[in-house]
Amino acid sequence: MSSLPDSWIFTASCPSRLGTVDVVTRFMAESKNYINEIHSFDDRVSERFFIRIEFQPQGEAFSCDTFKASFDEQFAPRAAEFSMEWNLTEPGHRERVAILVSKFDHCLNDLLFRHRTGQLNIEVPVIISNHPDLKHLAEWHGIPYYHLPITPDTKPQQEAQILELLEQYNIDLVVLARYMQVLSPEMCEALDGWAINIHHSLLPGFKGARPYHQAWEKGVKMVGATAHYVNNDLDEGPIITQGIQSVDHAHYPEDLVSKGQDIERITLFNAVRYHVEKRVFLSGKRTVVFSN
Amino acid sequence: MSSLPDSWIFTASCPSRLGTVDVVTRFMAESKNYINEIHSFDDRVSERFFIRIEFQPQGEAFSCDTFKASFDEQFAPRAAEFSMEWNLTEPGHRERVAILVSKFDHCLNDLLFRHRTGQLNIEVPVIISNHPDLKHLAEWHGIPYYHLPITPDTKPQQEAQILELLEQYNIDLVVLARYMQVLSPEMCEALDGWAINIHHSLLPGFKGARPYHQAWEKGVKMVGATAHYVNNDLDEGPIITQGIQSVDHAHYPEDLVSKGQDIERITLFNAVRYHVEKRVFLSGKRTVVFSN
Amino acid sequence: MSSLPDSWIFTASCPSRLGTVDVVTRFMAESKNYINEIHSFDDRVSERFFIRIEFQPQGEAFSCDTFKASFDEQFAPRAAEFSMEWNLTEPGHRERVAILVSKFDHCLNDLLFRHRTGQLNIEVPVIISNHPDLKHLAEWHGIPYYHLPITPDTKPQQEAQILELLEQYNIDLVVLARYMQVLSPEMCEALDGWAINIHHSLLPGFKGARPYHQAWEKGVKMVGATAHYVNNDLDEGPIITQGIQSVDHAHYPEDLVSKGQDIERITLFNAVRYHVEKRVFLSGKRTVVFSN
Amino acid sequence: MSSLPDSWIFTASCPSRLGTVDVVTRFMAESKNYINEIHSFDDRVSERFFIRIEFQPQGEAFSCDTFKASFDEQFAPRAAEFSMEWNLTEPGHRERVAILVSKFDHCLNDLLFRHRTGQLNIEVPVIISNHPDLKHLAEWHGIPYYHLPITPDTKPQQEAQILELLEQYNIDLVVLARYMQVLSPEMCEALDGWAINIHHSLLPGFKGARPYHQAWEKGVKMVGATAHYVNNDLDEGPIITQGIQSVDHAHYPEDLVSKGQDIERITLFNAVRYHVEKRVFLSGKRTVVFSN
């Protein structure tokens, strides 16, 4: 669904308890916010409540600062009673996304195309790679490209450089767009919760290297891709979304590599979109996704 | 999502206006109803608001009658100010569904199977057909089967008999499970809004008779099925859901007829399930479906 | 594609070598067989050749016995030079299929429905179960039902009884339609190559017990089903076909169990159909499937 | 399936008649061509035979010219007896494809990306548009871009210019990649059989202008795209392939326009790939597609 240009997004989660919805919707009513869409879900296994609201302030003399102040003053204390973690996103807000790549360019090309044409509402202030190959693509889009080569010996330094760049460019979200390096545990920890990776298999199947070759060996008739948050457990981060496609006996491993590119890039795009539209919530090792 | 056994379902719709959500959620809070899930949508074209809530009453000395009374006394007047049409469904409520068939049994077999195994939470007190062929299937499930033959001359009488049976059996929903008769305008009017038909094409493509043969003539590479509400405009009733499958040059019309059966029965099942779970709202000639 | 009623099916496989196609098509031409469809594939990894032909004999005074004799006399010696394994299926041939079940009836109900309505061109002379629950379903279809209970102690005897029944009923193909028993290595060996199992996950993901629960734990966004040949390596037999469906955070394990039923039964049906239409070839641990 | 670098492709079609396969496979055998894959189909409605073979010449002293000469001398006369139309494609042959666009760039960007990365084995010697907007994209790929504006008055001249360019650049295939102009009957005739168009609906549904808006009005739950050959009957040319995606009530027309882009570009890519891999045959107003 396309949001209206003046739509705000409110999200929150907290332990399940009577009154969670009311604490949110009552404030919305009192502040005269017009609600376009609500999605709430109460997970009866994790006993946790999740809510996402798109709304438009209706007050006549609306001021952004006054509005946010009222959230802090009137809403926040009541939310605190419910141990509610909440977030408010202004209309037109664009997350600052750093894209990490190696040599494959299908995901990068796709993200930049959608970025350029407005399908993906983000800023891309920096692209980082361990190879020089995709510099021209970055340049055509006018985006700074950092080539940070990596060897087993220089891994700690290279990762430190990446983290510095993320800080320097004030990055909100890191996207590993077929960045073909196993991150160190320290790097995983540093990126926990704000980095999305695309893995070219239906995780948890075919973890690790060369998943298409593994899939071919097993003679599967479906291959897929998984977009997940990076955490400290390799290829085990919370799954955001997955995509699949049918294959048959005539697809050799190199065909799977080629055919899988469409699924990879669409799956990664969806995950990034869900994330920046505030549709994804962490719930233990799983995610709640209010997709559309 | 599986509802909890003690879940109530509340649905409502009304013209879009500031405060619609609040009128609902405030009552839910005041009545101490625990909300498991909310879905609301505000259609900015039709300017209409839709909401569906699953909840569980939490009051200690809960009584069903008291509860419904509080809806009528406390909630209804406020809802009326918003011209809200609302509906409350008790836990374990099962709609009484009449199934109309001709000779094809794939949809009937499927609905009865899902009914019998609990996948579809309905009662099926009666099956009506213009042919005797499927009587044995009805009998095996212990369901009364009425064979009401039809000729061009007897159509008005036959349709009147059907309407009488629907009244006699106190039917909530009529399902046309490949009932191969064109209903009269009077019959369409009588069933408007409480009858679901399955058409074996992706409407509005291939309206009318022998849609698979039409599809073959056009050389399409996808065929589908459409479940829609019956209204007074043949094959133009509001669409609830659609299903598709790929076909190729090697599928002759008779293959499409055979291959389409799976899509037809799954599409019809989904539509019936969405309807009885109160997930479908009419919005002009379109539907709002809070699917899951 | 629907075969013509007088279509024969010829299949063959052998090591890759120049002339494999010619040895088949030259005989077809010399015997005046009208070819409706050829599918051949040469696997450059296993270096093996596979071919499937649908054809109709055109000889004026056609006799089935003479025809088969000409295969044996004229074709067989030349095929032997290529170490070709070949098979000839007469028009209207129906494989004799034994179905093994436990308590779940969605796959059984589906196979019997398609059998009864002619979508699946097989005979079902016997149904065998370790539980009495599905006897009524078998009886309604007029098929003998053997209830062979099993305990850890009686497993060898029970499996022996099954094998005796398969022999007694002259069975061509065994279908494990959610038969919830781990077969002994001896039983697996006995069924190697002529038994199809349906596993309710996208193998090799979630092998073993309770795959939907495993899938839920991992938070996957797709679940699936796999139809494969039984061999002596549990849940590792050659995959024939797979099906999938999307799920989300709101699907609890019991929802996956319920939602997965459609994928399971359609996937199993497709596998059985491919097998009896001679579309499946074993190629090491993988399969070649000339699907349609 | 990936073809081997030294694979030739042979295709043919002719009226159905005993011996069609033999005339092809016998020549292949006599010329010592190693067959990797055969696909044949005999359409019993149109009574026409279609065959596609991938093969590798095995002769020791293989010469391309000698080989083609043997086709002309030995094969052609026999093929002529069957009124066979046949085609031989050399390894590494790349069709010369002209792309026509207007302002939308998602299809163009996608085709150029796949061209650049080798997924689509074509040459793109020229891009033609009635708008200047996409010149930069063409330039980045180093492809000449002709901006040929069009008005109702200048349409004949503009179309003549296009045809001249197609001749000048020696074009094999024209791809209308969201070229938003209705071609004149003369232009359609000139392009008959060697131009592929992408229409943003599941034809024959929603022909003509603004199909997504039409789809929204009808409240459909699936939208799609159709790649078809251009012929003299607007939006009625033979369909090559179609793609679909689910939508719901929350998708406004502008969302369908945006969401449909992925289906459009993948569907167009598939059609172009099938065409240049010689997988598509015309069969009256329908196509036979040996896809993979």
Side-chain angles (χ1 to χ4, degrees):
Chain A
M1 188 192 90
S2 54
S3 300
L4 287 169
D6 52 349
S7 283
W8 292 66
I9 299 169
F10 170 85
T11 57
S13 74
C14 65
S16 295
R17 192 179 130 194
L18 189 63
T20 48
V21 171
D22 184 58
V23 74
V24 175
T25 55
R26 187 171 302 222
F27 174 80
M28 290 288 166
E30 289 167 357
S31 304
K32 299 206 183 307
N33 294 316
Y34 191 85
I35 293 176
N36 297 316
E37 194 182 69
I38 307 181
H39 238 106
S40 88
F41 175 67
D42 209 277
D43 187 332
R44 61 185 186 245
V45 175
S46 67
E47 297 191 321
R48 214 169 157 79
F49 163 78
F50 306 90
I51 192 165
R52 180 185 187 276
I53 297 182
E54 287 199 19
F55 68 93
Q56 301 169 271
Q58 299 282 302
E60 288 185 14
F62 176 77
S63 130
C64 189
D65 287 344
T66 317
F67 180 65
K68 291 205 277 194
S70 78
F71 255 89
D72 289 339
E73 285 159 36
Q74 295 166 41
F75 176 70
R78 185 130 171 74
E81 289 175 35
F82 285 78
S83 307
M84 200 173 268
E85 297 162 16
W86 58 276
N87 181 275
L88 189 63
T89 304
E90 289 182 46
H93 172 75
R94 294 151 72 97
E95 296 220 357
R96 295 174 64 82
V97 177
I99 303 178
L100 269 62
V101 291
S102 292
K103 291 182 169 181
F104 281 114
D105 60 353
H106 55 284
C107 286
L108 178 63
N109 185 69
D110 192 68
L111 291 172
L112 293 181
F113 174 77
R114 298 184 200 263
H115 162 54
R116 175 165 64 80
T117 58
Q119 252 193 316
L120 194 52
N121 210 16
I122 58 174
E123 289 185 23
V124 183
V126 64
I127 295 168
I128 304 170
S129 178
N130 56 328
H131 291 286
D133 305 55
L134 305 185
K135 192 177 196 337
H136 64 294
L137 197 54
E139 281 176 345
W140 191 68
H141 287 84
I143 299 169
Y145 182 91
Y146 290 82
H147 172 210
L148 306 181
I150 189 168
T151 66
D153 287 348
T154 63
K155 187 164 191 159
Q157 293 85 328
Q158 194 252 20
E159 291 188 344
Q161 283 176 295
I162 293 174
L163 291 174
E164 275 166 37
L165 284 171
L166 301 181
E167 192 169 352
Q168 173 189 332
Y169 280 98
N170 202 19
I171 295 304
D172 298 307
L173 175 69
V174 177
V175 174
L176 306 180
R178 297 298 306 274
Y179 179 64
M180 309 295 280
Q181 288 293 317
V182 176
L183 305 179
S184 70
E186 295 73 29
M187 188 69 172
C188 287
E189 182 138 332
L191 296 179
D192 197 342
W194 61 295
I196 294 174
N197 183 46
I198 182 75
H199 186 86
H200 42 310
S201 84
L202 279 173
L203 290 175
F206 308 127
K207 292 168 61 172
R210 293 167 59 89
Y212 289 129
H213 290 73
Q214 294 181 54
W216 184 86
E217 287 286 342
K218 289 291 184 185
V220 299
K221 304 298 185 184
M222 298 261 175
V223 296
T226 302
H228 64 94
Y229 285 115
V230 171
N231 71 3
N232 55 12
D233 197 354
L234 187 67
D235 291 347
E236 287 276 0
I239 294 171
I240 302 168
T241 185
Q242 299 184 295
I244 67 106
Q245 82 168 48
S246 298
V247 294
D248 71 18
H249 56 269
H251 294 94
Y252 295 100
E254 63 268 28
D255 301 312
L256 303 185
V257 169
S258 171
K259 285 229 153 188
Q261 292 192 357
D262 278 330
I263 293 302
E264 290 168 36
R265 62 192 192 163
I266 289 174
T267 302
L268 180 58
F269 158 64
N270 281 330
V272 173
R273 184 171 67 82
Y274 292 158
H275 178 92
V276 300
E277 292 178 4
K278 310 295 179 191
R279 298 180 179 281
V280 191
F281 299 76
L282 280 171
S283 178
K285 301 184 81 170
R286 308 170 72 251
T287 60
V288 169
V289 183
F290 293 140
S291 64
N292 70 336
Chain B
M1 188 193 90
S2 55
S3 300
L4 287 168
D6 52 349
S7 282
W8 293 66
I9 299 168
F10 170 86
T11 58
S13 74
C14 65
S16 293
R17 192 179 131 194
L18 189 63
T20 49
V21 170
D22 184 59
V23 75
V24 175
T25 54
R26 187 171 302 222
F27 173 80
M28 290 287 167
E30 288 168 357
S31 303
K32 299 206 184 309
N33 294 315
Y34 191 85
I35 293 177
N36 297 315
E37 193 182 70
I38 306 182
H39 236 108
S40 87
F41 175 68
D42 209 278
D43 187 332
R44 60 184 186 245
V45 175
S46 67
E47 296 191 323
R48 213 168 158 81
F49 163 77
F50 306 90
I51 193 165
R52 179 184 186 277
I53 297 181
E54 287 200 20
F55 67 93
Q56 301 168 273
Q58 299 283 302
E60 287 183 17
F62 177 78
S63 129
C64 188
D65 287 344
T66 317
F67 180 65
K68 291 205 275 194
S70 78
F71 255 90
D72 289 339
E73 284 158 37
Q74 295 166 41
F75 176 69
R78 185 128 172 75
E81 288 175 36
F82 285 78
S83 307
M84 199 174 269
E85 297 162 16
W86 59 275
N87 181 275
L88 190 62
T89 304
E90 289 181 45
H93 171 75
R94 293 152 71 98
E95 296 220 0
R96 296 175 64 82
V97 178
I99 304 178
L100 270 63
V101 290
S102 292
K103 290 182 170 182
F104 280 114
D105 60 354
H106 55 285
C107 286
L108 178 64
N109 185 69
D110 192 68
L111 291 172
L112 293 181
F113 175 77
R114 296 183 200 263
H115 162 54
R116 175 165 64 81
T117 58
Q119 251 194 315
L120 194 51
N121 209 16
I122 57 174
E123 289 184 23
V124 184
V126 63
I127 295 168
I128 304 170
S129 178
N130 56 329
H131 291 287
D133 306 55
L134 305 185
K135 191 177 196 333
H136 64 296
L137 197 54
E139 281 177 346
W140 191 68
H141 287 82
I143 299 168
Y145 182 91
Y146 290 82
H147 172 211
L148 304 182
I150 189 168
T151 66
D153 287 348
T154 63
K155 186 164 193 159
Q157 294 85 328
Q158 194 252 19
E159 290 187 343
Q161 283 177 295
I162 292 174
L163 290 174
E164 274 167 38
L165 284 171
L166 300 181
E167 192 169 353
Q168 172 189 332
Y169 281 97
N170 202 19
I171 294 304
D172 298 307
L173 175 70
V174 177
V175 174
L176 306 180
R178 297 298 305 274
Y179 179 66
M180 308 296 279
Q181 288 294 317
V182 176
L183 304 180
S184 71
E186 295 73 29
M187 188 69 171
C188 286
E189 183 139 330
L191 295 179
D192 197 342
W194 60 295
I196 294 174
N197 183 46
I198 182 75
H199 186 85
H200 42 312
S201 84
L202 279 173
L203 290 175
F206 308 127
K207 291 168 60 172
R210 293 166 60 88
Y212 289 129
H213 289 74
Q214 295 181 54
W216 184 86
E217 287 286 343
K218 290 291 185 186
V220 300
K221 304 298 186 185
M222 298 262 175
V223 296
T226 303
H228 63 94
Y229 285 115
V230 171
N231 71 3
N232 55 12
D233 198 354
L234 186 66
D235 291 347
E236 287 276 0
I239 294 170
I240 302 168
T241 186
Q242 299 184 295
I244 66 105
Q245 82 168 48
S246 297
V247 294
D248 71 17
H249 57 267
H251 293 95
Y252 295 100
E254 64 267 29
D255 300 313
L256 303 185
V257 169
S258 172
K259 285 230 152 186
Q261 291 192 358
D262 279 329
I263 293 301
E264 290 168 36
R265 61 190 193 164
I266 289 175
T267 303
L268 180 58
F269 158 63
N270 280 330
V272 173
R273 184 172 66 82
Y274 292 157
H275 178 92
V276 300
E277 291 178 5
K278 310 295 180 191
R279 298 181 179 281
V280 191
F281 299 77
L282 279 171
S283 177
K285 301 184 81 169
R286 308 169 72 249
T287 60
V288 168
V289 182
F290 294 139
S291 64
N292 70 336
Chain C
M1 187 192 92
S2 55
S3 300
L4 288 169
D6 53 350
S7 283
W8 292 67
I9 300 169
F10 170 86
T11 57
S13 74
C14 65
S16 294
R17 193 180 130 193
L18 188 64
T20 48
V21 171
D22 183 59
V23 74
V24 175
T25 54
R26 187 171 300 222
F27 174 79
M28 289 288 165
E30 288 168 357
S31 304
K32 299 207 184 307
N33 294 315
Y34 192 85
I35 293 177
N36 296 316
E37 194 181 69
I38 306 182
H39 236 107
S40 88
F41 175 67
D42 208 277
D43 187 332
R44 60 182 186 249
V45 174
S46 67
E47 298 191 321
R48 215 170 155 78
F49 164 76
F50 306 90
I51 193 165
R52 180 185 187 276
I53 296 182
E54 287 200 19
F55 67 94
Q56 301 169 271
Q58 299 282 303
E60 287 185 15
F62 177 77
S63 130
C64 189
D65 287 343
T66 317
F67 180 65
K68 290 204 277 193
S70 77
F71 254 90
D72 289 339
E73 285 159 36
Q74 296 166 42
F75 176 69
R78 183 128 173 75
E81 288 175 35
F82 286 78
S83 307
M84 200 174 268
E85 297 162 17
W86 58 275
N87 182 275
L88 189 63
T89 304
E90 291 182 43
H93 171 75
R94 293 151 72 96
E95 296 220 0
R96 296 175 63 80
V97 178
I99 304 178
L100 269 63
V101 291
S102 291
K103 291 182 170 181
F104 282 114
D105 59 354
H106 55 285
C107 286
L108 178 64
N109 184 70
D110 191 68
L111 291 173
L112 293 181
F113 174 77
R114 295 184 202 261
H115 162 54
R116 176 165 65 79
T117 58
Q119 253 194 314
L120 194 52
N121 211 16
I122 57 173
E123 288 184 25
V124 183
V126 63
I127 295 169
I128 304 170
S129 178
N130 56 329
H131 290 286
D133 305 56
L134 305 185
K135 191 176 194 341
H136 65 297
L137 197 55
E139 282 177 344
W140 191 69
H141 286 83
I143 299 169
Y145 182 91
Y146 290 83
H147 171 210
L148 305 181
I150 188 167
T151 66
D153 287 347
T154 63
K155 188 165 191 157
Q157 293 85 330
Q158 194 253 17
E159 291 187 343
Q161 283 178 293
I162 293 175
L163 290 174
E164 274 166 37
L165 284 171
L166 300 181
E167 191 170 351
Q168 172 188 332
Y169 281 96
N170 201 17
I171 294 304
D172 298 308
L173 176 70
V174 177
V175 174
L176 306 180
R178 297 297 307 273
Y179 178 66
M180 308 296 278
Q181 289 293 318
V182 176
L183 304 180
S184 70
E186 294 74 29
M187 188 69 171
C188 287
E189 182 139 331
L191 295 179
D192 196 343
W194 60 295
I196 294 174
N197 182 47
I198 182 75
H199 187 84
H200 42 312
S201 85
L202 279 173
L203 289 175
F206 308 128
K207 291 167 62 170
R210 292 166 62 87
Y212 288 129
H213 289 74
Q214 294 180 53
W216 184 87
E217 287 286 342
K218 290 290 184 186
V220 299
K221 304 299 186 185
M222 299 261 173
V223 296
T226 302
H228 63 94
Y229 285 115
V230 170
N231 70 5
N232 54 11
D233 196 353
L234 188 65
D235 291 348
E236 287 276 359
I239 295 171
I240 302 169
T241 186
Q242 298 185 295
I244 68 106
Q245 83 166 49
S246 297
V247 295
D248 72 16
H249 57 269
H251 293 95
Y252 295 101
E254 63 268 29
D255 300 313
L256 301 185
V257 170
S258 172
K259 284 229 152 187
Q261 291 192 357
D262 279 329
I263 292 301
E264 290 168 35
R265 61 190 193 164
I266 290 175
T267 302
L268 181 57
F269 158 63
N270 280 329
V272 173
R273 184 170 67 80
Y274 292 157
H275 178 93
V276 300
E277 292 179 5
K278 311 295 180 189
R279 297 180 180 282
V280 191
F281 299 76
L282 279 171
S283 178
K285 301 185 80 170
R286 308 169 72 249
T287 61
V288 169
V289 182
F290 293 140
S291 64
N292 69 336
Chain D
M1 189 193 88
S2 55
S3 300
L4 288 169
D6 52 349
S7 283
W8 292 67
I9 300 170
F10 169 85
T11 58
S13 75
C14 65
S16 293
R17 193 180 128 193
L18 188 63
T20 48
V21 170
D22 184 59
V23 74
V24 174
T25 54
R26 187 170 304 221
F27 174 80
M28 290 288 166
E30 288 168 358
S31 304
K32 299 205 183 309
N33 294 315
Y34 191 85
I35 293 177
N36 296 315
E37 194 181 69
I38 306 181
H39 237 107
S40 87
F41 175 67
D42 208 277
D43 187 333
R44 60 183 187 245
V45 175
S46 68
E47 297 190 322
R48 213 168 159 79
F49 163 77
F50 306 90
I51 193 165
R52 180 185 187 275
I53 296 181
E54 288 200 20
F55 67 94
Q56 300 168 272
Q58 299 283 302
E60 286 185 16
F62 176 78
S63 130
C64 189
D65 288 344
T66 316
F67 180 66
K68 290 206 277 194
S70 76
F71 255 90
D72 289 339
E73 284 157 38
Q74 296 166 42
F75 176 70
R78 183 127 172 77
E81 288 174 36
F82 286 79
S83 306
M84 201 174 266
E85 297 162 17
W86 59 276
N87 181 275
L88 190 63
T89 305
E90 291 182 43
H93 172 75
R94 292 151 73 96
E95 297 220 357
R96 295 174 65 81
V97 178
I99 304 178
L100 269 63
V101 290
S102 291
K103 291 181 169 182
F104 281 114
D105 60 353
H106 55 285
C107 287
L108 178 64
N109 184 69
D110 192 67
L111 291 173
L112 293 181
F113 175 77
R114 296 183 202 263
H115 162 54
R116 176 165 63 81
T117 58
Q119 251 194 315
L120 194 52
N121 210 16
I122 57 174
E123 289 184 23
V124 183
V126 63
I127 296 169
I128 304 170
S129 178
N130 56 328
H131 290 286
D133 305 57
L134 306 186
K135 191 176 195 337
H136 64 297
L137 197 54
E139 282 176 345
W140 191 69
H141 287 84
I143 299 169
Y145 182 92
Y146 289 83
H147 171 211
L148 306 181
I150 189 168
T151 66
D153 288 346
T154 63
K155 187 164 191 159
Q157 293 86 330
Q158 194 253 18
E159 290 187 343
Q161 283 178 293
I162 293 175
L163 290 174
E164 275 167 37
L165 285 171
L166 300 182
E167 192 170 350
Q168 172 188 333
Y169 281 96
N170 201 17
I171 295 303
D172 299 307
L173 175 70
V174 177
V175 174
L176 307 180
R178 296 299 304 275
Y179 178 66
M180 309 297 279
Q181 288 293 318
V182 175
L183 304 180
S184 70
E186 294 73 29
M187 187 69 170
C188 286
E189 182 140 331
L191 295 179
D192 196 341
W194 60 295
I196 294 174
N197 183 46
I198 181 75
H199 187 84
H200 42 312
S201 84
L202 279 172
L203 290 175
F206 308 128
K207 290 167 62 170
R210 292 166 60 88
Y212 289 128
H213 290 74
Q214 294 181 53
W216 184 86
E217 287 286 342
K218 291 290 184 184
V220 301
K221 304 299 186 186
M222 299 262 176
V223 296
T226 302
H228 63 93
Y229 285 115
V230 171
N231 70 4
N232 55 10
D233 197 354
L234 188 64
D235 291 348
E236 287 276 359
I239 295 171
I240 302 168
T241 185
Q242 299 185 294
I244 67 106
Q245 82 167 49
S246 297
V247 295
D248 72 16
H249 56 269
H251 293 95
Y252 296 101
E254 63 268 28
D255 300 313
L256 302 186
V257 169
S258 171
K259 285 229 153 188
Q261 292 193 358
D262 279 328
I263 293 302
E264 291 169 36
R265 61 190 192 163
I266 289 174
T267 302
L268 180 57
F269 158 63
N270 281 329
V272 173
R273 184 171 67 81
Y274 292 158
H275 178 91
V276 300
E277 292 179 4
K278 311 296 180 189
R279 298 180 179 281
V280 191
F281 299 77
L282 279 171
S283 178
K285 302 185 80 169
R286 307 169 73 250
T287 61
V288 169
V289 182
F290 294 139
S291 64
N292 69 336

